[in-house]
Amino acid sequence: MAQVMLRDRFAGAHTPQTAMGKAWTAASFRSNTTDLIAMTQAGNASYGIRHLPGVVILGGGMPIESKGSLVGAIGISGGPTGADDDRCAKAGIDAIRVSLEF
């Protein structure tokens, strides 16, 4: 369930749902969505993951951990590339890192 969503007024209509899917995927698989790209390519044993409901395997989804426990996830959508979305996600996590270490 989304706790916070920020959206630029010029962002594409698809970006909110894509960002939520990336966050859900990162939390569900406890993995950066970028890391799931290669392991879920056609021909790999994990390929079927791409077809599960709600899964979005594009760059921009990252789990958020504190003291070794999963506390949430972030999903970014709308950058020109998945690498750009990853950079934004990492910056977001870094911005709250101190609060996570409570």
Side-chain angles (χ1 to χ4, degrees):
M1 169 173 48
Q3 297 290 314
V4 175
M5 178 170 297
L6 301 173
R7 182 176 180 271
D8 185 88
R9 66 185 175 137
F10 297 114
H14 65 284
T15 58
Q17 191 65 37
T18 303
M20 286 189 289
K22 289 178 182 184
W24 183 87
T25 301
S28 182
F29 292 97
R30 296 177 182 240
S31 178
N32 294 349
T33 52
T34 296
D35 295 341
L36 295 172
I37 294 171
M39 68 181 282
T40 61
Q41 291 292 315
N44 290 338
S46 298
Y47 173 68
I49 290 171
R50 288 177 173 255
H51 303 289
L52 294 173
V55 170
V56 177
I57 299 186
L58 299 167
M62 294 184 177
I64 301 172
E65 296 182 346
S66 177
K67 299 179 183 176
S69 295
L70 180 70
V71 296
I74 187 169
I76 305 292
S77 180
T81 68
D84 293 320
D85 289 345
D86 275 348
R87 279 191 290 281
C88 288
K90 185 177 180 328
I93 294 169
D94 289 346
I96 63 168
R97 177 72 49 212
V98 172
S99 298
L100 292 172
E101 301 305 324
F102 51 83

